[in-house]
């Protein structure tokens, strides 16, 4: 297997919101539907079993009406610290692991998002397809959501 560091794309943000609020935004289906997905997309939470081994499934509708499905299984949950999940974003990305890491910083939250791919080649392909723009837009929406609360 290739070195995981070479198969991982990472985004970091500091949200202007306390850890409790950012954690709630990530873990409550009614909140997830408000920010998950790039700008211009609507998200419906179809399944959300927030337990280790539990499944999640979201339908995202693009402005042109086409829909795609994101799904996965929670692998590790450490409350207010870390969420690790398998993830598929069909038809664009499949078989990745996403790691969401949270750290309180006073009344702000430092957030690290890692996406681990099966191979270095697949990682590079995903980066070229717009990983940073796509997920950057998602986390812009999350930032706006938690800042409005």
């Amino acid at each position: 297997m290739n070195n995981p560091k070479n198969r991982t794309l990472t985004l970091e943000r500091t949200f202007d919101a306390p850890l409790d609020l950012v954690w709630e935004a990530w873990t409550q289906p009614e909140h997830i539907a408000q920010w998950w997905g790039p700008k211009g997309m609507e998200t419906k939470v179809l399944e959300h079993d927030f337990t280790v081994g539990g499944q999640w499934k979201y339908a995202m509708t693009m402005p042109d009406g086409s829909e795609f499905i994101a799904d996965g299984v929670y692998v590790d949950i450490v409350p207010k610290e870390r969420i690790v999940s398998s993830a598929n974003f069909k038809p664009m990305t499949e078989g990745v692991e996403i790691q969401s890491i949270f750290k309180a910083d006073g009344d702000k939250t430092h957030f690290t998002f890692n996406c681990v791919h099966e191979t270095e080649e697949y990682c590079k392909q995903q980066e070229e397809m717009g990983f940073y723009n796509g997920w950057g837009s998602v986390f812009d929406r999350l930032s706006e959501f938690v800042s409005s609360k």
Side-chain angles (χ1 to χ4, degrees), residues 19-33:
L19 175 60
D20 287 349
L21 181 57
V22 176
W23 182 260
E24 190 175 298
W26 266 90
T27 60
Q28 302 299 313
E30 65 273 17
H31 297 318
I32 294 166

Side-chain angles (χ1 to χ4, degrees), residues 132-145:
Y132 289 106
N133 286 337
W135 280 105
S137 178
V138 172
F139 299 138
D140 286 348
R141 289 183 70 193
L142 175 57
S143 180
E144 290 167 15
F145 178 75

Side-chain angles (χ1 to χ4, degrees), residues 62-135:
M62 294 192 252
D64 68 4
S66 59
E67 186 175 83
F68 72 94
I69 300 294
D71 64 32
V73 175
Y74 292 107
V75 176
D76 185 34
I77 299 170
V78 178
K80 298 183 185 175
E81 286 184 27
R82 178 176 65 242
I83 302 168
V84 179
S85 173
S86 65
N88 302 295
F89 303 94
K90 298 171 186 167
M92 297 172 290
T93 306
E94 294 188 49
V96 297
E97 178 179 275
I98 54 175
Q99 305 166 348
S100 303
I101 302 162
F102 308 83
K103 185 172 177 156
D105 182 11
D107 60 352
K108 298 179 188 285
T109 303
H110 183 72
F111 172 72
T112 303
F113 181 79
N114 297 314
C115 185
V116 185
H117 300 80
E118 291 178 359
T119 65
E120 290 180 27
E121 294 77 22
Y122 190 39
C123 182
K124 183 149 186 64
Q125 175 197 34
Q126 292 295 301
E127 183 177 10
E128 290 169 356
M129 280 177 50
F131 172 89
Y132 289 106
N133 286 337
W135 280 105

